[in-house]
Amino acid sequence: MHRHRAPFLPGSPPPHHRRRATSLVDFEELAPLVADDRVTDVLVLGGRGVWTDRGAGLVVVPGLVLTEDRTRDLAHALVARGGRHVDETTPCADVRHGDGIRVHAVLAPVSVHGTAISVRLPRQERPTIDRLADGGFFERVPRGVVEGAVRERQNVLVTGATGSGKTTLLAAMLAQVPSDERIVTVEDVAELRIDHPHVVALEARQANAEGAGALGLGRLLREALRMRPDRIVVGECRGAEIRELTAALNTGHDGGAGTVHANGVDDVAARLEALGALAGLGPESLARQAASAFDLVLHVERRHGRRRLAAVGRMHVDRAGRLAVREVDAVPSSGLGPDLRGGRIHTAAADGSGAGGEVLHRRGPVAPRGRPVASGAAAPAGHAGVGGEAAHTGRLADGTPRRRSGGAHRRHRDAP
């Protein structure tokens, strides 16, 4: 097969900025751009031009314009090398190359102005909390909140817009998981690059040309439950798989996580209701499932080329029985030692008090230094759910603690 040689491009990366990957030759004319480890995105529009993003916004590549026919051929080739197909009957495709390079293609005329290819390029190093902190990711929300959520096996939903850093934060969080735990990830296209010794990555499969053989996220999530996971992770919930994820996290699988597209903390509830509708869940049913399944919402954003953790929220069921997500102050409690601050977040009570007050640990209040509150302790004001059940306290309507049988307890199930 004839390969198109990559032209000389002004600004081609010097040796110390070259991305190390065996599949770069597959990108042909785009290879010099893909090889530059400063580039995060390469975007092609047939007959119009090529753009790159090095973190400061899109910049047109001078002197490089692929014709529509050439762009279409390149799209076919890149998708085929990723193990899928794109044609007139399936004009959109998403594939993975190498260690996390993601290629998305949309053929014309579905892409009205010409075939579009979008290449998302991961960083050379696998994400870690330290690297994110060095880049200012935790300027607004302390890193201890994230580290504590992992340590305490909280179920986390990471939200944000496209390109805001959801997958990066999730991978960095999972790198904090103890090495004796098994992580099972489920993704449409495997993008999570996790620095952990025991990761099982499941990737969805497109139907073949005869329309058979498809494996969706919902099916893979059900299979993941049979693989003895310590932590279940869904790279991105885009549809009916939200039902399987919330069901899994409500059956004892603590420490799980997922991501969802949302513009802000206030928009998460509406977004989850829309996904729940695709799964046949009514708003009230989705509200109870989600509020019980997720302990924290971590919202990330990208502003002026910089990604950061922007807000923390908690889910609860409002008086109408609908899901609501309330933003909370991500400030570690005063008086706690440095090793105990992560993941304990102040929330103001209904009357506006709460500065220096009680700390929320998982769904229930805890005394300072991590001692559980007595079973008869009252839930904080403003956290009662429908029917008198406290949505955040982890207690039933009669005050007894809600038992969760999974998570860390399962690792000791064979102990005498």
Side-chain angles (χ1 to χ4, degrees):
M1 174 181 174
H2 174 69
R3 288 186 183 273
H4 290 254
R5 293 186 58 189
F8 171 77
L9 298 176
S12 292
H16 61 284
H17 279 300
R18 289 190 181 275
R19 178 175 275 107
R20 298 182 300 275
T22 58
S23 61
L24 296 184
V25 67
D26 292 343
F27 291 87
E28 306 192 19
E29 295 99 329
L30 306 180
L33 305 174
V34 175
D36 190 340
D37 67 4
R38 298 166 297 180
V39 174
T40 62
D41 295 271
V42 178
L43 309 177
V44 183
L45 189 58
R48 298 296 184 95
V50 179
W51 293 260
T52 62
D53 188 347
R54 289 179 169 85
L58 292 176
V59 177
V60 66
V61 179
L64 181 60
V65 177
L66 303 186
T67 66
E68 168 59 23
D69 288 343
R70 176 62 195 134
T71 304
R72 194 178 186 92
D73 290 343
L74 183 59
H76 281 290
L78 290 175
V79 171
R81 290 169 191 147
R84 297 186 177 182
H85 66 274
V86 61
D87 52 31
E88 286 74 11
T89 59
T90 310
C92 307
D94 213 3
V95 298
R96 171 180 51 86
H97 281 242
D99 189 20
I101 297 177
R102 174 176 164 180
V103 178
H104 181 261
V106 182
L107 301 183
V110 175
S111 176
V112 176
H113 298 298
T115 295
I117 302 174
S118 306
V119 182
R120 173 70 56 83
L121 301 164
R123 296 290 185 186
Q124 286 284 85
E125 306 84 6
R126 299 193 175 219
T128 65
I129 295 295
D130 288 337
R131 292 191 181 106
L132 292 183
D134 291 342
F137 196 85
F138 300 107
E139 289 179 349
R140 293 187 61 179
V141 178
R143 62 182 286 176
V145 173
V146 174
E147 292 172 327
V150 176
R151 183 173 59 251
E152 296 162 7
R153 302 187 60 85
Q154 298 191 14
N155 293 332
V156 176
L157 184 66
V158 181
T159 65
T162 300
S164 59
K166 299 186 297 298
T167 301
T168 300
L169 175 59
L170 186 55
M173 290 175 59
L174 294 172
Q176 301 273 306
V177 171
S179 60
D180 63 342
E181 295 188 20
R182 175 180 170 96
I183 302 171
V184 180
T185 67
V186 178
E187 299 179 84
D188 185 36
V189 175
E191 292 183 272
L192 283 168
R193 301 163 67 246
I194 305 167
D195 187 11
H196 189 276
H198 196 167
V199 178
V200 179
L202 304 181
E203 185 177 55
R205 187 173 69 187
Q206 181 186 25
N208 60 24
E210 289 74 34
L215 281 175
L217 296 184
R219 167 69 183 277
L220 291 180
L221 190 50
R222 291 192 294 274
E223 298 300 326
L225 294 173
R226 302 182 176 98
M227 300 175 70
R228 198 259 179 220
D230 287 298
R231 310 222 181 199
I232 293 180
V233 178
V234 176
E236 184 175 335
C237 288
R238 300 181 181 180
E241 62 273 4
I242 190 66
R243 175 182 55 201
E244 281 77 14
L245 178 61
T246 55
L249 299 183
N250 276 316
T251 55
H253 290 85
D254 289 350
T259 71
V260 166
H261 278 92
N263 293 326
V265 171
D266 294 339
D267 300 316
V268 172
R271 176 66 174 155
L272 290 181
E273 283 191 358
L275 297 180
L278 297 176
L281 294 175
E284 294 80 7
S285 178
L286 182 279
R288 289 186 174 276
Q289 288 281 330
S292 178
F294 294 107
D295 299 292
L296 281 182
V297 175
L298 302 178
H299 184 74
V300 296
E301 67 179 14
R302 179 177 178 177
R303 294 286 178 86
H304 308 295
R306 297 187 61 188
R307 296 176 174 90
R308 63 181 180 177
L309 179 55
V312 179
R314 288 193 183 273
M315 297 185 187
H316 65 97
V317 181
D318 65 18
R319 294 180 181 275
R322 303 286 289 272
L323 182 65
V325 182
R326 184 174 65 180
E327 185 173 344
V328 296
D329 295 329
V331 179
S333 176
S334 59
L336 291 177
D339 294 332
L340 298 175
R341 296 187 303 172
R344 296 173 173 87
I345 303 171
H346 276 300
T347 58
D351 60 359
S353 64
E358 81 186 272
V359 177
L360 291 183
H361 175 73
R362 295 188 60 84
R363 292 192 179 82
V366 298
R369 304 198 182 278
R371 294 188 299 274
V373 172
S375 60
H383 285 262
V386 176
E389 179 174 343
H392 289 317
T393 61
R395 302 178 187 276
L396 301 178
D398 61 2
T400 59
R402 178 187 290 121
R403 297 183 63 85
R404 301 184 68 154
S405 59
H409 304 291
R410 296 183 294 108
R411 291 188 285 137
H412 307 292
R413 63 188 183 278
D414 297 328

